[in-house]
Amino acid sequence: MTLPIEMLLTRIGITVPYSLWIAKDELQQVYPLVNRNGMVPPKTKKVFGKPIQVIQEEGRSVIQFTYSQEYRVILLLEGAAVLEGPELELLFDLLYKGYSEYADETGRAKLARIVDSIHYTTASLDLEDVFSNILTHTLDVITNADYGTLWLFDEARGKIICKASEGYRFEEIQQMEFDLGEGPVGHAFAVGDPVLITDPKDIEQDKVKRISEENKQRWGRRVEDITNVRSVIAYPIGVDGRIECVMYLGQMNSEQVLTERDLWLLQIFTAQVGIAIRNAKQFTYIRDLNDKLMQRDAIHATLTELSVRNMGTEKMIEELSRMAGQPLMFADLLMNEMIPASASLPSRVTFNNLLEKIQLEGQAKSMELSPADDVILYPIRSGSVVLGCLIAHSSQKLERLSELVIEQGSVLLALERVQKQNVLAFYYKNQRELFEELIHANDPSILHEKVEALGIRNVGGFAVAMLQVTGCPDPQELEAHIFRVIAALRSSAAGLIQTVFGWQNKVIVVAGVKGPWELTLFERKLEELLIHRSDFKMAYRLHGGIGSLVHETSQIEQTYREAEIALTNPLAGQRNRPLVRYTDIGISRLFTSRNTEEVDKFLTDIFDPLREADRSDGTLEQTLLAYFASNRSTGEAANKLHIHINTLYQRLKKIEETLGLSLKNTDDALQLQLACYLRQRT
């Protein structure tokens, strides 16, 4: 190439000493192309804007031909320049061949570097390594960039966060969080198009929301904004049609600004980067899933060993606490007890509060006790039955491993509690059989044996109470209700209970009392329990009956039968009578649920003829009820009915004629009075 240039320079009239120099690559150091006269290299710096520039330099003329940011050719002449426009353009075109060779050579080198970078970037399946490799090799490809950062969108926080940094202090950048649309990074994420900023004052970049003051403060004193950098690229990287991350490149110190050509190089490079991220994410997901499965197996093996060795609930809770990394307690909502025994319920909370909270939340796996507390509940269920709950005092979200511990532990804990429930049901069955043998015992020695077996001791007197649950068709739920009633009884009247057991839908309690005053106390506690359980928002109802006070163990059968009669009396189950006392039911003790059909027929025989005779509004029935409610006082009855006394006599006569009875006959009057008594109570 030297000979044609020298011939051309001679032909266009160059007679003064001259030399040709080339400046290329990022460093822009000059190298001689033609320098037969041993001239000193030019001192000029690159000046952009015009492809051909003529500059005077210390008695010499410097003619600069600029082909790109990386390639210039300089013609150095002694004295003033003698070349005109056509000659300069001719030289520019002739020297272009050298630039073409350079561009071709550097292009191949760039592509080789991209291929190598892609190879190294995709070589790892570790997501964190991939992020680091992306930046390292991006800066190898985009040599004009001083530093790079990689940003991902955190869906849980709704913020764009930094995952990797190269060439800048990562610990400071980690503190930053961008909103969608904020800064070049947020804009690239929101729009999905790359952002190239070469002039921070470019008015068209107003569409890029400026970085917030909070982020500037987090970034530190060396924070760069688009107002104090020379050029910026924010390039979105997509995976399967979705923007996965944004690469942010900045140029502050290097000479060459970032260009459209860099965007083109990134387009080639990031297409493979997206594949690397997808592969690494899939590998990370599979690896994490495998780790979780291994952790789950290890947790299951540990807890299963405890269960198989029958170490008990307290040991299981201790092991769960150790594996979860924080103290756990268990509230048994069938027995109303805490495990470990040293644990206590949260402040101002009862077992019923916990049960109601869990049942209102449905099948939720965890729940806050209340917004004001840092207490988390983890229900333990067997089907639809709430057995209890684990309680954690923590305001922080559990780690995934701790969640696995509680998830696995809950299953085995439910199994362990169901086993205990079955043992308890078997114990109550034995208690019931012993009690049946006691009330049927005729031999004093057998009676004494059964009393001893049931733990009954004579403290002065006995009274048996019988409670009944209605409105609960599910056998498992019914059994759970029975257990909870017994637990509540043991808690409220522990010192008075001699023995208690559940059978089917009933709870039988033998109370030991020192006298009438202590029996009254026991009855009050029963009433409080029945009222409370009725107020408690459940589908079932609970009512009870209690026998009279007896003083000998041989009389326990008597008070038991009385409790049974009180429970089956028509008064039982009424809202204002949750507990019916045998001593209060008087003559109606003769009319229990065992002969309800006879009672109904008796009332029909009396009142249906009266209704038929009235054929209106039941005047005769009302008159008969008022007459006996006034203790057969005609004057008082007439006043209650707001009628004249003669009218009352006429109605009474019609009642006698209709029923074929006489109020003057003692048997007939007693029959009518009893009918009115039963009518008012049914």
Side-chain angles (χ1 to χ4, degrees):
M1 183 185 294
T2 303
L3 184 57
I5 292 175
E6 291 179 316
M7 289 175 62
L8 179 60
L9 291 175
T10 301
R11 287 183 180 181
I12 61 178
I14 299 296
T15 58
V16 298
Y18 68 88
S19 60
L20 276 171
W21 304 82
I22 183 170
K24 59 183 180 180
D25 301 327
E26 290 84 356
L27 298 177
Q28 289 290 292
Q29 294 177 348
V30 294
Y31 306 96
L33 197 62
V34 177
N35 190 14
R36 298 187 183 279
N37 298 304
M39 299 179 71
V40 178
K43 298 179 181 179
T44 58
K45 295 182 180 179
K46 48 183 179 176
V47 178
F48 302 108
K50 296 179 180 180
I52 303 174
Q53 293 173 319
V54 181
I55 306 166
Q56 293 302 128
E57 181 189 277
E58 299 176 357
R60 301 188 301 181
S61 298
V62 179
I63 303 171
Q64 181 171 276
F65 303 96
T66 302
Y67 296 94
S68 71
Q69 293 181 355
E70 295 88 10
Y71 193 89
R72 291 178 297 146
V73 178
I74 302 167
L75 175 59
L76 187 59
L77 301 174
E78 289 288 349
V82 293
L83 299 177
E84 299 296 333
E87 291 87 354
L88 293 175
E89 292 176 1
L90 182 62
L91 280 172
F92 183 88
D93 292 340
L94 180 64
L95 295 170
Y96 184 82
K97 181 183 179 183
Y99 168 66
S100 298
E101 293 174 352
Y102 167 79
D104 183 55
E105 180 184 345
T106 55
R108 286 196 300 269
K110 281 278 188 181
L111 289 174
R113 185 179 295 176
I114 290 174
V115 171
D116 288 342
S117 296
I118 290 172
H119 170 74
Y120 286 116
T121 300
T122 57
S124 176
L125 287 176
D126 185 273
L127 193 56
E128 297 298 327
D129 287 346
V130 168
F131 289 148
S132 179
N133 288 341
I134 287 172
L135 288 178
T136 300
H137 296 294
T138 298
L139 295 178
D140 285 343
V141 173
I142 311 300
T143 55
N144 297 343
D146 295 316
Y147 66 93
T149 50
L150 199 67
W151 301 81
L152 276 76
F153 184 72
D154 187 328
E155 294 184 359
R157 291 153 62 185
K159 296 286 186 178
I160 302 170
I161 61 173
C162 185
K163 291 296 291 183
S165 175
E166 187 73 22
Y168 200 85
R169 294 172 294 181
F170 184 43
E171 63 276 7
E172 294 180 2
I173 299 178
Q174 269 189 311
Q175 305 303 315
M176 299 189 70
E177 295 179 341
F178 286 116
D179 291 320
L180 287 174
E182 179 185 350
V185 171
H187 182 80
F189 241 117
V191 178
D193 294 329
V195 175
L196 172 63
I197 301 174
T198 56
D199 183 357
K201 298 179 182 178
D202 188 347
I203 192 170
E204 292 186 3
Q205 294 302 329
D206 286 347
K207 64 183 179 181
V208 178
K209 181 181 175 183
R210 298 294 293 275
I211 298 174
S212 67
E213 291 299 323
E214 292 81 0
N215 277 331
K216 290 180 182 179
Q217 292 172 5
R218 290 188 185 116
W219 208 327
R221 295 180 181 178
R222 293 174 56 193
V223 62
E224 82 283 3
D225 193 358
I226 58 173
T227 57
N228 60 9
V229 296
R230 296 185 60 183
S231 60
V232 164
I233 287 178
Y235 201 96
I237 299 175
V239 179
D240 296 330
R242 178 174 180 260
I243 302 301
E244 192 69 33
C245 60
V246 166
M247 186 187 303
Y248 180 82
L249 304 177
Q251 179 245 342
M252 295 179 66
N253 303 318
S254 62
E255 293 295 327
Q256 304 292 334
V257 298
L258 299 167
T259 65
E260 293 284 350
R261 185 166 176 272
D262 294 316
L263 285 180
W264 176 76
L265 291 172
L266 280 175
Q267 183 178 2
I268 299 173
F269 180 63
T270 55
Q272 296 300 316
V273 166
I275 296 174
I277 292 176
R278 181 188 62 193
N279 293 342
K281 288 186 70 174
Q282 290 177 346
F283 173 76
T284 300
Y285 171 76
I286 294 172
R287 182 187 61 192
D288 291 346
L289 183 61
N290 183 62
D291 289 345
K292 289 173 185 176
L293 290 174
M294 292 179 66
Q295 291 170 352
R296 188 187 296 269
D297 287 344
I299 293 166
H300 183 76
T302 301
L303 296 176
T304 301
E305 183 182 359
L306 286 176
S307 180
V308 169
R309 291 166 58 192
N310 198 24
M311 298 298 289
T313 305
E314 186 159 350
K315 184 64 177 176
M316 190 173 290
I317 299 300
E318 179 184 333
E319 188 64 21
L320 283 175
S321 299
R322 184 190 66 78
M323 290 190 291
Q326 64 173 288
L328 297 173
M329 301 178 295
F330 179 69
D332 186 328
L333 298 181
L334 293 182
M335 303 300 296
N336 286 0
E337 62 183 16
M338 293 296 294
I339 300 173
S342 58
S344 58
L345 285 169
S347 178
R348 303 181 302 279
V349 174
T350 66
F351 289 105
N352 279 343
N353 293 150
L354 294 178
L355 181 61
E356 184 177 20
K357 171 73 175 176
I358 293 170
Q359 290 178 328
L360 287 175
E361 293 287 342
Q363 292 297 314
K365 292 183 178 180
S366 65
M367 62 203 70
E368 288 184 344
L369 181 58
S370 72
D373 296 316
D374 62 346
V375 176
I376 308 297
L377 307 179
Y378 300 91
I380 307 299
R381 300 181 177 91
S382 173
S384 61
V385 178
V386 178
L387 304 176
C389 64
L390 286 168
I391 302 175
H393 289 268
S394 175
S395 57
Q396 299 178 350
K397 182 176 176 60
L398 287 176
E399 297 291 337
R400 179 55 186 159
L401 179 59
S402 299
E403 290 181 347
L404 283 174
V405 167
I406 291 178
E407 180 183 329
Q408 289 289 301
S410 297
V411 175
L412 294 175
L413 193 55
L415 178 61
E416 196 275 338
R417 299 313 292 175
V418 168
Q419 289 174 345
K420 182 170 183 178
Q421 186 179 351
N422 292 337
V423 170
L424 192 59
F426 183 75
Y427 168 76
Y428 287 155
K429 178 177 179 293
N430 286 340
Q431 293 293 97
R432 181 248 178 187
E433 291 174 352
L434 286 172
F435 188 75
E436 285 287 323
E437 293 171 0
L438 181 151
I439 61 178
H440 291 100
N442 295 319
D443 188 332
S445 62
I446 295 177
L447 176 67
H448 178 74
E449 177 187 337
K450 302 307 175 185
V451 166
E452 288 283 333
L454 287 167
I456 297 174
R457 63 192 186 285
N458 196 339
V459 294
F462 304 100
V464 173
M466 186 180 296
L467 311 183
Q468 180 171 285
V469 176
T470 57
C472 184
D474 186 342
Q476 284 187 314
E477 282 285 355
L478 177 60
E479 186 176 64
H481 294 330
I482 294 295
F483 287 175
R484 291 182 186 124
V485 170
I486 293 175
L489 274 171
R490 291 187 184 280
S491 175
S492 62
L496 300 174
I497 294 176
Q498 296 274 321
T499 189
V500 58
F501 58 89
W503 177 247
Q504 296 179 341
N505 68 332
K506 294 182 179 66
V507 174
I508 291 86
V509 190
V510 178
V513 294
K514 297 176 181 177
W517 64 273
E518 206 164 57
L519 176 60
T520 301
L521 173 64
F522 179 65
E523 290 172 344
R524 186 166 66 247
K525 289 183 178 295
L526 283 180
E527 283 185 325
E528 290 173 356
L529 171 68
L530 294 171
I531 292 171
H532 177 71
R533 302 299 294 189
S534 298
D535 289 342
F536 191 49
K537 299 176 182 178
M538 292 292 186
Y540 70 90
R541 293 179 59 195
L542 182 66
H543 59 279
I546 185 169
S548 59
L549 177 64
V550 297
H551 299 282
E552 302 294 335
T553 55
S554 59
Q555 296 175 304
I556 291 178
E557 180 189 5
Q558 173 190 326
T559 183
Y560 169 73
R561 300 301 180 192
E562 292 172 352
E564 194 174 31
I565 291 172
L567 183 68
T568 57
N569 188 269
L571 295 175
Q574 295 182 9
R575 292 186 179 276
N576 61 338
R577 299 292 293 272
L579 178 68
V580 177
R581 298 168 177 82
Y582 178 80
T583 54
D584 291 344
I585 61 178
I587 194 173
S588 66
R589 74 184 62 170
L590 303 176
F591 307 99
T592 67
S593 59
R594 295 178 180 179
N595 51 10
T596 301
E597 291 182 4
E598 288 297 322
V599 172
D600 290 343
K601 185 177 184 303
F602 172 66
L603 295 177
T604 299
D605 291 343
I606 297 295
F607 290 105
D608 275 10
L610 296 181
R611 296 184 188 115
E612 182 68 24
D614 276 335
R615 294 187 179 277
S616 58
D617 57 357
T619 301
L620 295 181
E621 181 178 343
Q622 294 173 13
T623 300
L624 186 62
L625 291 171
Y627 178 66
F628 282 106
S630 302
N631 198 21
R632 302 185 68 178
S633 169
T634 54
E636 185 179 342
N639 289 334
K640 284 183 178 180
L641 295 169
H642 305 290
I643 59 176
H644 193 274
I645 193 169
N646 290 335
T647 303
L648 177 66
Y649 284 135
Q650 293 173 2
R651 291 182 181 179
L652 292 174
K653 184 173 179 60
K654 188 172 182 179
I655 289 171
E656 290 177 318
E657 293 173 350
T658 301
L659 298 176
L661 301 174
S662 173
L663 291 171
K664 294 179 181 179
N665 183 287
T666 304
D667 290 341
D668 292 349
L670 178 61
Q671 186 177 170
L672 291 173
Q673 186 173 7
L674 181 58
C676 290
Y677 175 84
L678 293 174
R679 176 70 176 80
Q680 289 173 331
R681 282 157 178 75
T682 58

